[in-house]
Amino acid sequence: MFKIGGMRGFPTCSTGVTCAAALTLLPAVLNMPSAAAAPADRTTTALSGSTQSLPLTPRTRERVLGQAAERGAFSTDVRHFSLVGVIWDKPGTELLGQVRVRTRSAATGRWSGWQDIDTHNADHGADPGTAEAASGRVRGATAPLWVGDSDGVDVRVRTKAGPGPGVGRDLLPAGLRLELVDPGDEAPSEGPPGDSPRTDTEADAAASVNADLVSFAATEIPALSREDTERELRELGGTGASLAKPYIGPRPRIVTRRGWGADESLREKGFVYTGKIKAAFVHHTDSGNGYRCSEAPSVIRSIYRYHVVSMGWRDIGYNFLVDKCGTIYEGRAGGAAKAVRGAHTLGFNNNSVGIAVIGKFGSHKPPAAAVTALAKLTAWKLGLFGANPKGKTYLKSGGGNLYPKGKNVRLNVISGHRDGYATECPGAKLYAKLGSARTSSAHLQGR
């Protein structure tokens, strides 16, 4: 037999049965309804990925005094997926508790250990009052977690115990669902027969906004020397173009949206811009560090799909992403050299650029290659708008938990997410590297 015990009410095994067998039997013992039956499905094409949505059902039938509420889902009858997250109806509602998940590897058939999913994800998103925030499609959500190619899932959502009967149960947000995201292989360059022509139109639009930098439909924006970058700046008419010796770093190599396989039919059409770029906010994706660099495009496609299909945003929230090997990727569509408004730092998306390092860096040190890429990207991007990476600037708050709406806030030109919103992002270890990133970035600009 096996017992229910261990940390915070999650399963441990005792004699008489292996852990793997015990965990497999767990849903039946707990009278958990299987979520395998007809999960809600949000799909496009096989190549561009899919999202399966499973309801989270109560794991206990009784409401006991002071008992923590718990919901879950278990299924070994789902299509392959590589990223998981939990969503709920109202974006303003906080999930006060813990979300844990284990997954079954599609390659080996073995179950992973239990992993925590960060429930504090409200610090990302469009600013209050914007059309994106008020669309009616936005949902509350945990951070996404990359789990690799999987075909089975077991998730538990457990709140803090309430002070009286049923109170713990009431702390759970309404509409809890588990999202299983398959990134697909790549987005097709042309839609399948019968597809809306929007796929081609939006793919062309996303490529055309980089026409000043690279040939149409290129998969990457190549690196430029310092001299060629300064010449490009003058041609683009950037803020520093009037300077005899503009302060701008050499343009780094950037993988375009077409390069990482963005399915342009997912996002809202059109682009949204802000006035200029005065600051860069550094993030981590909080999606885990267990990915290979060759998998980074798949991770990005998964986060993109999670942000748009599951969370209801108009596009991926970050303007750029950086993987552990230092490769830089174009994020939100609208042009790598342009002032595209993202949904990365709640309250401070105007006049800023959001850069996310793929991984989780609370207790793990960010790779040196990723920090170097941050310095290179900010030296170029901030240089386009005449911003000093070692300087300070003022941004007006759009509203958040640190600064009220309308307050002018003095910030580092290169700031961490936590500087604009009370959050752990970008993780203590990555945040500690921002000083050296500022120095390197300014040096690359010739300051």
Side-chain angles (χ1 to χ4, degrees):
M1 295 296 294
F2 71 98
K3 62 183 181 180
I4 302 300
M7 183 178 296
R8 302 186 183 180
F10 291 101
T12 58
C13 304
S14 59
T15 58
V17 65
T18 66
C19 281
L23 289 170
T24 302
L25 292 170
L26 184 61
V29 175
L30 293 176
N31 294 317
M32 280 179 58
S34 172
D41 200 3
R42 306 185 186 103
T43 62
T44 52
T45 68
L47 280 177
S48 58
S50 66
T51 301
Q52 301 169 83
S53 188
L54 281 60
L56 300 184
T57 55
R59 295 186 62 246
T60 54
R61 296 180 181 274
E62 299 178 358
R63 301 174 74 178
V64 182
L65 179 66
Q67 177 178 311
E70 188 167 318
R71 291 176 179 250
F74 176 90
S75 181
T76 55
D77 189 25
V78 290
R79 290 189 303 280
H80 287 210
F81 61 93
S82 297
L83 181 140
V84 301
V86 171
I87 64 170
W88 52 91
D89 292 343
K90 294 183 178 179
T93 302
E94 185 178 359
L95 197 164
L96 300 172
Q98 183 186 39
V99 177
R100 305 198 80 193
V101 66
R102 67 187 187 106
T103 53
R104 187 177 69 180
S105 168
T108 67
R110 296 175 181 171
W111 286 89
S112 70
W114 288 97
Q115 299 185 75
D116 288 305
I117 300 179
D118 191 355
T119 61
H120 303 291
N121 197 41
D123 47 0
H124 298 77
D127 290 350
T130 61
E132 183 172 2
S135 68
R137 296 187 299 273
V138 181
R139 305 177 186 90
T142 67
L145 178 67
W146 176 260
V147 294
D149 190 17
S150 304
D151 61 6
V153 65
D154 191 1
V155 66
R156 315 289 172 79
V157 179
R158 195 166 193 258
T159 70
K160 299 174 182 177
V167 177
R169 182 186 183 94
D170 295 338
L171 291 175
L172 284 169
L176 283 171
R177 304 186 71 83
L178 174 67
E179 301 287 280
L180 305 177
V181 181
D182 168 25
D185 295 326
E186 61 182 12
S189 57
E190 295 183 358
D195 224 26
S196 165
R198 181 188 164 196
T199 301
D200 290 340
T201 300
E202 291 306 309
D204 290 349
S208 65
V209 288
N210 286 318
D212 290 337
L213 308 179
V214 72
S215 61
F216 184 78
T219 57
E220 67 175 57
I221 299 168
L224 287 183
S225 67
R226 176 70 180 276
E227 181 181 12
D228 287 341
T229 302
E230 291 176 357
R231 183 182 302 112
E232 178 186 73
L233 176 63
R234 288 190 289 270
E235 292 171 353
L236 291 174
T239 302
S242 61
L243 301 176
K245 183 71 172 177
Y247 291 108
I248 184 170
R251 189 181 73 190
R253 172 182 175 267
I254 302 170
V255 177
T256 64
R257 288 173 65 90
R258 187 177 291 265
W260 55 260
D263 179 356
E264 302 294 352
S265 70
L266 291 180
R267 63 172 175 83
E268 285 189 34
K269 56 184 176 181
F271 314 112
V272 178
Y273 296 99
T274 184
K276 56 184 175 179
I277 301 299
K278 298 171 64 177
F281 285 99
V282 177
H283 305 259
H284 65 177
T285 59
D286 209 8
S287 53
N289 303 312
Y291 68 95
R292 299 185 302 273
C293 291
S294 60
E295 293 179 307
S298 295
V299 177
I300 297 171
R301 289 197 302 275
S302 297
I303 294 173
Y304 170 46
R305 177 172 275 276
Y306 186 65
H307 281 182
V308 177
V309 178
S310 300
M311 296 179 66
W313 294 359
R314 64 170 289 116
D315 194 350
I316 192 169
Y318 309 113
N319 297 106
F320 296 93
L321 298 98
V322 177
D323 71 21
K324 64 173 70 175
C325 290
T327 301
I328 300 168
Y329 302 85
E330 179 187 14
R332 181 163 285 209
K338 301 181 186 298
V340 180
R341 187 168 70 195
H344 48 83
T345 305
L346 189 67
F348 290 98
N349 292 305
N350 276 327
N351 298 331
S352 71
V353 58
I355 304 168
V357 180
I358 302 172
K360 186 171 185 176
F361 303 106
S363 58
H364 289 81
K365 291 182 179 180
V371 178
T372 298
L374 276 176
K376 290 180 178 180
L377 176 57
T378 53
W380 174 71
K381 183 70 176 185
L382 293 171
L384 289 172
F385 296 88
N388 181 354
K390 292 183 70 175
K392 302 277 188 178
T393 191
Y394 281 92
L395 292 177
K396 182 177 289 188
S397 172
N401 64 359
L402 274 182
Y403 304 104
K405 184 175 181 179
K407 181 177 177 61
N408 281 318
V409 182
R410 191 168 186 258
L411 295 162
N412 287 310
V413 168
I414 297 180
S415 286
H417 187 178
R418 62 178 63 184
D419 295 320
Y421 196 99
T423 173
E424 294 183 1
C425 184
K429 298 292 187 180
L430 178 54
Y431 189 77
K433 294 292 185 181
L434 295 189
S436 61
R438 293 182 192 108
T439 300
S440 298
S441 182
H443 177 74
L444 287 167
Q445 283 191 349
R447 296 183 187 270

